[in-house]
Amino acid sequence: MSIQITNLTKTFGSFTALKNISLTVGTGELLALLGPSGCGKTTLLRIIAGLETPDPGSGAVIFHEEDVTNSGVRQRQVGFVFQHYSLFRHMNIFDNIAFGLNVRPRKSRPSKEEISQRVHALLKLVQLERHAALYPRQLSGGQRQRVALARSLAVEPRILLLDEPFGALDAKVRKDLRRWLRRLHEEISITSVFVTHDQDEAMEVADRIVVMNHGEIEQIGTPQEVYDHPANEFVYHFIGDVNLFHGRLEEGKVRIESSEAGKEKPEVVAYVRPHEIELSRTAHPEAIAARVQHLSIAGPVARIQLVRLDTNQSVEAEITRQLYDELQLRTGETVYVNLRNLRVFRPEERTRP
Amino acid sequence: MKTMTTASNEQGWTARLLIAAAVLFLLVFLLLPLTAVFVEAFRKGVGAYFKSFTDPYARSAIKLTLIVTATVIPLNLLFGITASWAITKFEFRGKGLLLTLIDLPFAVSPIVAGLIFVLLFGSRGWFGPWLKAHDVQIIFALPGIILATLFVTFPFVARELIPLMQSQGTEEEQAALVLGAGGWQIFRKVTLPNIKWGLLYGLILCNARAIGEFGAVSVVSGHIRGQTNTIPLHIEILYNEYNFAAAFAMASLLTLLAVATLAIRSFIEWKTRREQAAALGEI
């Protein structure tokens, strides 16, 4: 089941939540809507579900050639997983998962045995077989979110929508659960869209990422495309850590200079990821001298906080543990910074205000 | 209280003094009158006590009170749920005004509440001539008593439910909607179980007030013996006729009701506290 969204706009009073959004989600794809809070990603998800309506006459939501723009939530047959689980607190886990089947009109309702079978199959899928009789309050956050997922899958939805599914969980559970979601998706391969503000989560789980900001789509691409070829400054910033360097454009090359020389040349801002910075002890003409301010070594990478000697700007570098051990860096000493992969954005790619 | 008992001697004295004052106050103003009601009711013996209820006027008053209560409670249930649902689950213009209006009966004196209906439906009221022409009697009859009681009791259920439903939000209902449940199914299977204790609590308060209401009902009733006297009105008449034993016997009925209300109320509070504690335990 594919999803096609065309020219969709949504305003709340004078606030524009979504501006002319067009997007296609392929059958069986797992798509992430990524962006800062207030960028419109949740609104878009809720419009796909039918929980919100787009501005009248502003566009369409199409599920595999069927225009559902004006269909109610129930007709759309989607699964929706809420950030705070929204389990029915007075029902046990079994009844929570069976709810969607139990509320069907008698004609299309499966028999009691069928419902029980399906619920137990789902409990097995989410690895909570022994929790059927417990109540939501007796489960941990991660378990509850798995119940919420099982509950939404029980009605065999045409598409699955997840609103910040791991947002309320702590870091460790979050990581486990997103890997588990990825595996689950490979198993049942239902067209899925999930909303997140966590770029790591989007990178790890999604087939494709839609980066959103201020109600507009900034870029759509695979995690690698978005990371390696960010469409603009905003995407570059949002997808990972960044260092900023002011320089001037000289004959198609960027010169990072703090000197007054070449004042007539156009000014540019260049970006470098921390892991694209090289450190060495020996000075050379291209390199920038900097003082080591802080070292933090955790796991396989060493993060080094530096301060440029010429401008006092801080620079963050990430080097391998091995290199770090070879360099034997000390706080306070001077090293030379070499920028391996400078990224400069044309004015039209600059961040919108 | 724990901090009080483990605190220093000086604080211990303060606590003891305050507790003593509170207990004394309760004795003088609550327990003493309560005892007096029963002592007076039984002054002429148990036989006389029960005989007061066999009096036809007393029976008629009890019957009328039961009819009024039985009409008012379902109507308040309906209104309370509708208003709370509208206010907490939807966004609309004039929501603040509706909230204020719901509180109005609490702010208005019961006498005024009664007079409003006399002004509207009395023989010289706005709709009086029309009602007379169509031979409909509202004031000095059952409909007037029901209207006045409805007016003074309608905030109880909504006032209980609105904060409760606000704190619960609408996500469970949305989840049910996405899972394919219809409006009535959502209400019956998701909303109602979540609000049942608050609803019961509101209804009990509403019930107590409906049975005991004096002021508003007194204005619209006309005090016709055997016809438009509710229990509180009947008590007043008996008392004015120096028939103390009968007056206190009827009063003891209302008092017993109050005690029962308190007991049920404590039970519900205990029950909700337990459920809230369980809900907090989950986070």
Side-chain angles (χ1 to χ4, degrees):
Chain A
M1 184 71 54
S2 65
I3 309 169
Q4 205 183 334
I5 291 155
T6 49
N7 306 322
L8 203 114
T9 296
K10 173 70 181 174
T11 50
F12 294 104
S14 61
F15 175 72
T16 307
L18 294 170
K19 279 177 225 160
N20 209 22
I21 299 279
S22 295
L23 175 67
T24 304
V25 189
T27 304
E29 191 176 25
L30 178 50
L31 184 93
L33 299 177
L34 174 69
S37 58
C39 74
K41 55 194 192 299
T42 295
T43 307
L44 181 55
L45 194 78
R46 291 173 64 87
I47 288 178
I48 298 174
L51 289 167
E52 301 272 1
T53 44
D55 285 359
S58 86
V61 179
I62 294 154
F63 289 176
H64 188 67
E65 295 175 359
E66 178 197 345
D67 189 339
V68 295
T69 318
N70 298 311
S71 309
V73 183
R74 295 167 79 188
Q75 282 87 49
R76 296 196 189 192
Q77 297 166 44
V78 298
F80 200 101
V81 176
F82 293 84
Q83 181 177 2
H84 299 290
Y85 334 120
S86 300
L87 297 179
F88 306 123
R89 64 193 98 181
H90 62 277
M91 292 181 206
N92 65 23
I93 301 311
F94 183 96
D95 290 337
N96 259 283
I97 298 176
F99 183 87
L101 300 170
N102 281 330
V103 296
R104 283 194 184 164
R106 197 148 292 159
K107 284 189 295 212
S108 55
R109 194 191 307 158
S111 71
K112 268 205 149 71
E113 296 75 51
E114 279 175 89
I115 290 178
S116 169
Q117 259 173 24
R118 204 183 293 177
V119 172
H120 283 291
L122 282 162
L123 280 169
K124 199 172 167 195
L125 185 72
V126 298
Q127 299 155 12
L128 290 168
E129 290 134 294
R130 287 188 295 154
H131 297 67
L134 294 182
Y135 282 83
R137 60 174 179 269
Q138 294 168 298
L139 302 188
S140 71
Q143 290 173 326
R144 269 183 248 171
Q145 195 54 292
R146 270 149 47 204
V147 174
L149 197 63
R151 181 178 68 177
S152 64
L153 291 174
V155 293
E156 292 176 333
R158 302 195 285 178
I159 57 176
L160 182 63
L161 306 168
L162 306 104
D163 183 13
E164 302 253 5
F166 314 128
L169 303 169
D170 54 51
K172 176 79 175 83
V173 180
R174 231 179 140 109
K175 265 200 158 153
D176 291 346
L177 214 52
R178 69 197 194 204
R179 276 180 203 146
W180 176 82
L181 176 68
R182 180 71 242 177
R183 277 202 309 275
L184 183 81
H185 184 262
E186 274 153 22
E187 225 170 282
I188 58 176
S189 102
I190 175 174
T191 307
S192 310
V193 180
F194 81 102
V195 157
T196 180
H197 62 266
D198 179 342
Q199 76 277 6
D200 291 336
E201 197 168 289
M203 291 278 173
E204 189 172 325
V205 178
D207 294 322
R208 277 195 311 152
I209 296 176
V210 176
V211 186
M212 293 181 66
N213 187 30
H214 292 307
E216 289 179 82
I217 292 176
E218 299 282 356
Q219 189 172 6
I220 306 178
T222 64
Q224 199 187 347
E225 277 165 12
V226 172
Y227 192 86
D228 291 345
H229 307 287
N232 55 40
E233 271 183 305
F234 173 79
V235 177
Y236 192 97
H237 263 279
F238 198 76
I239 235 73
D241 296 326
V242 201
N243 285 302
L244 257 153
F245 290 94
H246 291 275
R248 288 181 192 282
L249 210 54
E250 265 177 33
E251 292 144 15
K253 284 190 123 185
V254 181
R255 254 182 98 78
I256 307 294
E257 281 283 355
S258 57
S259 67
E260 296 295 298
K263 244 189 161 175
E264 70 291 346
K265 304 275 179 4
E267 261 187 87
V268 289
V269 181
Y271 296 91
V272 185
R273 299 253 186 239
H275 68 88
E276 293 167 338
I277 284 179
E278 280 174 354
L279 300 178
S280 78
R281 281 247 157 74
T282 44
H284 61 98
E286 296 268 304
I288 302 161
R291 182 165 42 80
V292 178
Q293 198 181 33
H294 184 75
L295 297 161
S296 84
I297 300 105
V301 290
R303 288 199 178 81
I304 299 143
Q305 205 74 48
L306 302 143
V307 177
R308 277 172 70 175
L309 292 182
D310 49 358
T311 59
N312 270 335
Q313 246 188 326
S314 66
V315 177
E316 205 183 304
E318 237 177 61
I319 58 172
T320 62
R321 186 66 186 267
Q322 195 188 355
L323 187 62
Y324 171 79
D325 290 339
E326 279 167 27
L327 281 170
Q328 299 262 322
L329 290 174
R330 296 265 182 283
T331 32
E333 73 177 318
T334 302
V335 288
Y336 296 92
V337 172
N338 197 22
L339 309 176
R340 225 183 318 141
N341 188 12
L342 267 181
R343 184 93 169 83
V344 178
F345 291 96
R346 288 188 297 276
E348 66 268 23
E349 296 171 334
R350 302 294 289 270
T351 314
R352 274 181 287 267
Chain B
M1 285 316 262
K2 253 179 203 155
T3 51
M4 281 297 207
T5 50
T6 55
S8 70
N9 220 15
E10 200 175 322
Q11 268 180 326
W13 271 110
T14 320
R16 263 174 248 177
L17 210 67
L18 285 174
I19 291 167
V23 169
L24 192 73
F25 190 88
L26 283 175
L27 277 176
V28 173
F29 288 96
L30 289 171
L31 212 57
L32 199 63
L34 210 65
T35 324
V37 168
F38 287 96
V39 169
E40 286 300 323
F42 285 101
R43 188 168 285 270
K44 288 187 182 165
V46 181
Y49 177 77
F50 284 106
K51 202 165 163 277
S52 347
F53 300 124
T54 56
D55 172 59
Y57 292 143
R59 291 194 156 219
S60 142
I62 293 169
K63 193 175 147 202
L64 181 63
T65 300
L66 289 179
I67 290 173
V68 170
T69 313
T71 318
V72 165
I73 287 197
L75 288 174
N76 269 327
L77 175 78
L78 206 67
F79 168 79
I81 291 176
T82 315
S84 327
W85 184 284
I87 282 169
T88 55
K89 312 276 173 184
F90 299 103
E91 283 302 324
F92 56 91
R93 233 177 247 262
K95 198 163 152 171
L97 187 69
L98 186 60
L99 265 171
T100 318
L101 279 179
I102 288 174
D103 274 344
L104 190 70
F106 278 171
V108 170
S109 158
I111 294 286
V112 178
L115 283 174
I116 293 169
F117 291 106
V118 173
L119 194 69
L120 285 177
F121 306 119
S123 57
R124 287 159 194 236
W126 290 6
F127 304 107
W130 187 89
L131 289 168
K132 202 174 169 85
H134 290 81
D135 205 21
V136 180
Q137 178 91 23
I138 289 184
I139 298 304
F140 306 143
L142 182 65
I145 298 173
I146 289 175
L147 280 175
T149 312
L150 206 55
F151 182 88
V152 293
T153 55
F154 88 47
F156 286 105
V157 175
R159 273 282 121 195
E160 267 321 300
L161 290 187
I162 289 167
L164 184 66
M165 286 168 90
Q166 263 167 350
S167 75
Q168 287 175 348
T170 54
E171 270 210 351
E172 280 186 48
E173 278 83 5
Q174 283 181 15
L177 181 68
V178 178
L179 287 168
W184 175 244
Q185 284 175 319
I186 293 176
F187 175 70
R188 202 166 51 83
K189 297 189 169 194
V190 178
T191 310
L192 195 58
N194 282 343
I195 61 168
K196 61 178 181 229
W197 291 113
L199 185 62
L200 193 59
Y201 187 53
L203 285 178
I204 280 169
L205 291 181
C206 170
N207 178 56
R209 181 72 191 263
I211 292 177
E213 176 57 26
F214 179 81
V217 171
S218 172
V219 177
V220 296
S221 129
H223 305 266
I224 308 166
R225 275 199 173 195
Q227 281 184 35
T228 62
N229 269 346
T230 59
I231 297 177
L233 300 185
H234 187 60
I235 293 171
E236 196 209 16
I237 290 177
L238 290 172
Y239 186 80
N240 287 342
E241 289 170 350
Y242 303 104
N243 192 352
F244 295 136
F248 279 108
M250 290 300 268
S252 71
L253 265 191
L254 292 185
T255 313
L256 281 176
L257 173 84
V259 173
T261 304
L262 278 180
I264 301 172
R265 198 184 121 159
S266 314
F267 172 73
I268 292 174
E269 273 179 353
W270 172 77
K271 191 87 189 159
T272 21
R273 253 207 311 277
R274 247 179 44 146
E275 277 182 16
Q276 268 170 0
L280 282 180
E282 73 186 275
I283 299 163

